[in-house]
Amino acid sequence: MNILLIGSGGREHALATAIARSPLCSRLFCAPGNAGIAEAAKIVKLDADDHAAVVAFCRDQRIGFVVIGPEAPLVGGLSDALADAGISCFGPSKAAAQLEGSKGFTKDLCAEFHIPTGAYERFTDAASAKAYLAGKPLPIVVKADGLAAGKGVVIAETEADAITAIEACFDGAFGAAGSEVVIEEYLDGEEASFFALSDGDTAIAFGAAQDHKRVGDGDTGPNTGGMGAYSPAPVMTDDMIRRTMDEIIRPTVAGMKTRGYHFKGVLFAGLMITRKGPELIEYNVRFGDPECQVLMTRLDSDILPALIATATGGLDTVRLDWSNDAALTVVMAADGYPGTPRKGTEIRGIDEADKVEGVKVFHAGTVRDGARILANGGRVLNVTARGATVAEAQQRAYAAVDRLDWPEGFCRRDIGWRAIARERGDT
Ligand code: AMP
Ligand code: GLY
């Protein structure tokens, strides 16, 4: 079968590598791709917002299956356009993608179907949002309702900070995404990223990971899309996974079905493991980046039958085998990230880094210029390693990082610290 993958990040390089390995895959195309994906797939110029062009390409190249990596084309309805054209596709419909596209939608679903999450209220004007704050415990969380590239969340330590955040949203700091605001209870605990595939009826667990959102060592500095991740996540014990499936994932799939939205795709639950158990912070409707890189590194099974069953039904008969190894990925970012990253600098040593045992370097924001690989985005490489323990995977990943010659790039030096402290018995 010919397959088209949409996206250009490290997540899509990991997906491309896994899909290309499948005996079911004849030809793999990717749009817009990056310099690393070009080694696993044929890169094509296609605008994911131009649905007619994507459908025409699929017909022309006899594409049997489309895999959509990022959220924007999902929220934009690409999955619906493909379905209308009779082309099966991994990734939920526009209506089902509201689980990521609208925090208020998700909170209302949680309330209706008794899914554990922080207490909340939705607002469309600043005055009532500010009035709600009176007497509420601090810190309190202020969120722009829509997609804001991970930047629309403020954990306000004081009422004054919460008021500033509310005003920023309604003053247009996040454009249309901030025309509605959700204010919610602060949840205290340890975070984990949990993944499940759903075909609209059945949901199966697809592993857990923990990422590092802050740019600096010791979890300091501004939030980013993610500076590194590892899997499995020690906090997600078998019991916690079972509870997450029973209390959060299955009620969500059933609730979506009741509302007529049949969720077909990957549910990426951002969880807070509190004293009470797993609570939902938010949903994403696509694989995490960089969490996908560590999940794909640990997946022993062929990914393609699972992706196809997610889209077309029959997940109840899919079994996935996972390696007992741990996997860890270190994000190399361009100087300036998460602000304006420096572009066009040359990266050397990727082949040398790839030679470290257990290591694979996934590309994110890279572009090829003749024989040279240049940085072309904020997060640029994901140096990913497997190992018997998180500590071993970390040691291999940093050994590979040290073989890279890219003075204009940086990474965190402590990815995996929490899991490694646990392995050592420190906590
Ligand atoms: P989100 O974009 O909703 O994932 O939020 C970004 C980050 O803000 C999360 O990964 C959490 O670290 C934090 N956060 C969001 N909501 C809450 C909450 N209710 N309680 C505590 N932390 C939160
Ligand atoms: N790493 C978090 C995300 O993909 O949203």
Side-chain angles (χ1 to χ4, degrees), residues 103 141 143 153 155 184-187 191 213 272 281-282:
K103 295 185 190 295
V141 186
K143 299 184 174 183
V153 175
I155 314 244
E184 72 181 41
E185 176 194 357
Y186 175 78
L187 299 171
E191 280 189 73
K213 288 199 162 70
M272 189 69 84
I281 298 177
E282 64 158 1

Side-chain angles (χ1 to χ4, degrees), residues 101 144-148 169 172-181:
D145 179 73
L147 290 183
C169 277
F174 306 107
S179 61
E180 183 175 328
V181 165

Side-chain angles (χ1 to χ4, degrees), residues 1 38 61 79 113 121 130 134 141 153 155 174 239 243-244 265 328 351 361-362 379 415 424:
M1 165 191 296
Q61 296 295 330
S79 182
F113 297 98
E121 203 68 58
K130 287 186 211 169
V141 186
V153 175
I155 314 244
F174 306 107
D239 182 53
R243 284 191 59 184
T244 303
L328 179 141
D351 290 345
V361 179
F362 293 116
R379 294 187 295 169
I415 300 302
R424 274 204 235 105

Side-chain angles (χ1 to χ4, degrees), residues 8 10 54 73 78 92 105 126 149 168 232-233 265 324 332 352:
S8 63
V54 176
L78 179 57
F105 173 89
N324 286 327
M332 296 288 305
E352 287 308 306

